[in-house]
Amino acid sequence: MMSKYKDWQPIETAPKNLNQLMLCCGNYICIGRWDGHWSEWEDSSSGLVLRPQPDHWMNMPELPNNELD
């Protein structure tokens, strides 16, 4: 049986670069990235350190194709 959470990875395996990732922080999901200066995960839209810190991550999904048929 395939898990519906197969794309989520433990936060310990997340790349710590400037790429934006989907982050799971307890009961909510946000787009964030690693802040090397503070050595913590931050919300990409606000720049604030995430509390609680995320426990899982996944790559951003591809954007939809906006071409008209």
Side-chain angles (χ1 to χ4, degrees):
M1 182 171 133
M2 188 179 297
S3 169
K4 63 181 176 179
Y5 305 111
K6 66 179 177 64
D7 293 332
W8 289 103
Q9 302 295 319
I11 197 64
E12 296 81 19
T13 65
K16 292 182 175 176
N17 53 30
L18 295 178
N19 292 344
Q20 295 187 97
L21 305 169
M22 290 188 62
L23 300 171
C24 179
C25 305
N27 293 328
Y28 68 95
I29 295 170
C30 71
I31 297 172
R33 65 178 175 224
W34 179 252
D35 181 335
H37 178 75
W38 297 108
S39 297
E40 296 190 271
W41 293 96
E42 70 178 14
D43 183 297
S44 289
S45 62
S46 68
L48 297 174
V49 171
L50 292 168
R51 293 285 185 252
Q53 285 283 284
D55 49 23
H56 287 81
W57 73 279
M58 66 187 268
N59 285 314
M60 296 291 294
E62 287 187 37
L63 295 174
N65 184 348
N66 291 327
E67 292 180 27
L68 297 176
D69 292 331

